[in-house]
Amino acid sequence: MDTIASLFSFITWPVSWVIVQFHTVYGAIFGPDTGWAWGLSIVSLVILIRICLIPLFVKQIKATRGMQTLQPEMKKIQERYKNDKQRQSEEMMKLYKETGTNPLSSCLPILAQSPFFFALYHVLNGIASGDTIGAVNQDLLESAQKAHIFGAPLASKFFSSESDVTALSASLTDVRVVTAIMIVLMSASQFFTQRQLMTKNVDTTVKTPFMQQQKMLMYVFPVMFAVFGVNFPVGVLVYWLTTNVWTMGQQMYVIRNNPTPGSKAQAAYLERLHKSLTEHGKTRGRGQKAIVKAIVAKGRDRNEFERKFINGLNKSGLAAQPDGNVEKNDAAVAAQSADGTTAATTTAPKRQQPKRQSKSQRQARPAGESEPKTSLEKSDEPQDAGPGSKQESKPAAAAKKPAQKSGGGRSKAQSGQRKGPQRPKSPSKK
């Protein structure tokens, strides 16, 4: 770890200078030799770095969502060129170039934060060994060695020897208890951050290898933090715990206000947005307008939650516009009745089909009685169509037809005999 930290020695002086400036402010409030002054200086350093990394975090979100949408196409390329790795790589790079997606963009915040992390580790390791590094002079070095966070020196580690801890005026038990609690909190915050990303902000309609990869990282990262955390000084644990808490809060904000399409978080957001739009009758802020505009632009490509949102607006008498605003839907309002129900609920009930009778019921009917007529069959009875009607001039040929044999109301031809008039049999020869 010391060798890696020495590679980032070029940024050690800026990091140590920022810590010293924050220590000057907090030292005037809590005292220069207290753990609060040095601990809050490290926390402020983290906040300053993460504020500067917000643009990279936005790029990370866009890159992650772009990779999620490209997973089906990437899977097709892998299956098509599974025997040609070179052609597979070329098609992948072509796909990234056409869509403007960079796979490394999702790692930008971690990569950009790494130099500051190792620089802080280098500074705290120098404090533990009694060396002045960067802007930390001898007076600040002695002050940092006296600083304790809940009884643990700023530069002590979980596996520090008892002699080193005693030299810093502390107890080995206090150091191990404090470092163990901080390592558990650091791993738990990392696990919860990854878990809320997997359970709330992932498109559940598409099953891709990317989801399996994220699920694996959800368990791998906390274990890595626990393994490497035992070798981190207390000050570095404060730095990393603060980073995880910031990431968790930042991700919760993004999931709540800008969720991934097709995820559970989008369903919850659209439900809140529908309630706000029906209450105020208009979009409030650029964020709501951008979401509505994006949903309208999708057209038939909307997912289940987006279609439900648009239909809910129409039922409430509102219509989403292409520019992201919502206006009153005159057609929906006119279709509403005085009691607040829509026209669809006040229409006449559908005509029901008559119940079909069983064969035994049809056979039990008297011979002269015909089958009951349904509402869909035309009546054969003559209607009063007035003088000159064609029905009056019709001959009553139907009345002269011979009555059919009874047998369930239906006539059947005898077995082996053709229907219609039969030829007379020739007389038999005697």
Side-chain angles (χ1 to χ4, degrees):
M1 184 68 73
D2 296 336
T3 304
I4 298 176
S6 62
L7 297 176
F8 297 94
S9 58
F10 65 93
I11 203 173
T12 300
W13 199 94
V15 170
S16 61
W17 183 84
V18 173
I19 293 178
V20 168
Q21 301 307 313
F22 281 122
H23 176 264
T24 303
V25 176
Y26 293 120
I29 301 174
F30 302 101
D33 299 337
T34 59
W36 286 103
W38 286 99
L40 290 176
S41 299
I42 296 174
V43 172
S44 301
L45 172 67
V46 175
I47 295 174
L48 179 63
I49 293 174
R50 295 309 300 266
I51 291 175
C52 296
L53 293 179
I54 286 179
L56 294 180
F57 181 74
V58 175
K59 289 185 177 181
Q60 180 191 21
I61 294 175
K62 293 181 178 180
T64 303
R65 293 184 180 177
M67 292 296 294
Q68 290 177 351
T69 56
L70 289 180
Q71 286 301 317
E73 298 296 330
M74 294 171 61
K75 191 174 182 179
K76 292 180 181 178
I77 293 175
Q78 291 174 355
E79 293 177 354
R80 185 180 301 173
Y81 305 104
K82 58 183 178 181
N83 297 326
D84 190 352
K85 298 297 181 182
Q86 183 177 358
R87 181 66 183 277
Q88 185 181 118
S89 301
E90 292 176 356
E91 293 295 328
M92 288 286 190
M93 296 302 297
K94 183 180 179 180
L95 180 63
Y96 293 149
K97 187 176 180 180
E98 291 176 353
T99 57
T101 305
N102 187 1
L104 297 178
S105 298
S106 58
C107 303
L108 284 177
I110 297 177
L111 295 176
Q113 193 178 349
S114 298
F116 300 97
F117 168 77
F118 288 112
L120 178 63
Y121 179 88
H122 194 42
V123 171
L124 295 176
N125 194 48
I127 292 174
S129 59
D131 299 330
T132 57
I133 296 178
V136 179
N137 53 30
Q138 188 63 33
D139 295 337
L140 292 173
L141 176 63
E142 296 176 357
S143 175
Q145 289 179 340
K146 295 177 183 178
H148 291 67
I149 298 177
F150 300 108
L154 198 68
S156 60
K157 307 176 185 177
F158 183 84
F159 286 136
S160 295
S161 62
E162 188 173 0
S163 58
D164 294 340
V165 175
T166 304
L168 296 174
S169 303
S171 171
L172 183 62
T173 303
D174 294 340
V175 170
R176 291 188 175 178
V177 169
V178 172
T179 52
I181 292 175
M182 296 183 71
I183 290 171
V184 170
L185 292 177
M186 184 175 62
S187 300
S189 59
Q190 179 65 35
F191 176 79
F192 182 78
T193 301
Q194 196 69 20
R195 186 176 183 275
Q196 71 174 351
L197 179 64
M198 286 296 302
T199 57
K200 295 182 179 180
N201 206 37
V202 173
D203 187 359
T204 57
T205 60
V206 181
K207 304 295 182 181
T208 61
F210 180 78
M211 296 176 61
Q212 298 296 330
Q213 180 183 2
Q214 293 294 320
K215 188 176 182 180
M216 182 182 64
L217 294 177
M218 181 174 65
Y219 297 99
V220 171
F221 275 164
V223 175
M224 292 178 58
F225 278 107
V227 171
F228 292 107
V230 295
N231 296 316
F232 291 163
V234 174
V236 174
L237 293 178
V238 172
Y239 173 91
W240 208 251
L241 178 60
T242 307
T243 298
N244 287 354
V245 173
W246 176 280
T247 303
M248 182 172 60
Q250 187 170 305
Q251 186 170 272
M252 289 176 65
Y253 175 82
V254 172
I255 291 175
R256 179 177 175 83
N257 296 280
N258 191 15
T260 301
S263 62
K264 295 181 180 179
Q266 189 195 29
Y269 175 80
L270 292 179
E271 186 177 352
R272 295 193 304 269
L273 180 58
H274 176 264
K275 184 177 180 180
S276 176
L277 294 177
T278 53
E279 182 179 353
H280 300 92
K282 62 179 181 179
T283 53
R284 305 178 67 189
R286 296 181 180 179
Q288 292 185 357
K289 186 178 293 186
I291 293 293
V292 174
K293 182 178 180 180
I295 293 175
V296 173
K298 288 184 178 181
R300 295 184 177 181
D301 295 333
R302 302 185 188 110
N303 56 46
E304 178 185 357
F305 306 129
E306 293 167 347
R307 288 194 296 268
K308 185 178 179 181
F309 170 73
I310 295 296
N311 294 334
L313 288 180
N314 294 335
K315 291 180 180 179
S316 302
L318 298 174
Q321 304 299 318
D323 59 354
N325 294 314
V326 293
E327 297 179 357
K328 287 187 177 182
N329 189 356
D330 296 334
V333 174
Q336 290 179 342
S337 59
D339 58 351
T341 58
T342 58
T345 60
T346 58
T347 54
K350 294 183 179 180
R351 185 170 53 188
Q352 297 181 354
Q353 296 290 344
K355 187 176 180 180
R356 183 179 180 86
Q357 294 182 346
S358 62
K359 184 177 180 179
S360 60
Q361 291 176 344
R362 294 195 302 268
Q363 291 178 351
R365 199 167 43 245
E369 183 181 351
S370 60
E371 294 185 5
K373 298 177 181 179
T374 63
S375 58
L376 299 179
E377 296 177 356
K378 294 183 179 180
S379 177
D380 294 334
E381 298 178 359
Q383 298 179 356
D384 187 11
S389 175
K390 294 181 179 180
Q391 292 181 356
E392 295 180 354
S393 60
K394 286 184 178 181
K400 297 181 180 180
K401 290 183 179 180
Q404 297 178 350
K405 296 182 181 180
S406 61
R410 295 182 181 180
S411 61
K412 297 181 181 179
Q414 295 181 0
S415 177
Q417 186 177 3
R418 293 184 300 174
K419 296 181 180 180
Q422 304 293 331
R423 296 177 59 184
K425 295 182 180 181
S426 58
S428 58
K429 297 181 179 180
K430 296 183 180 179

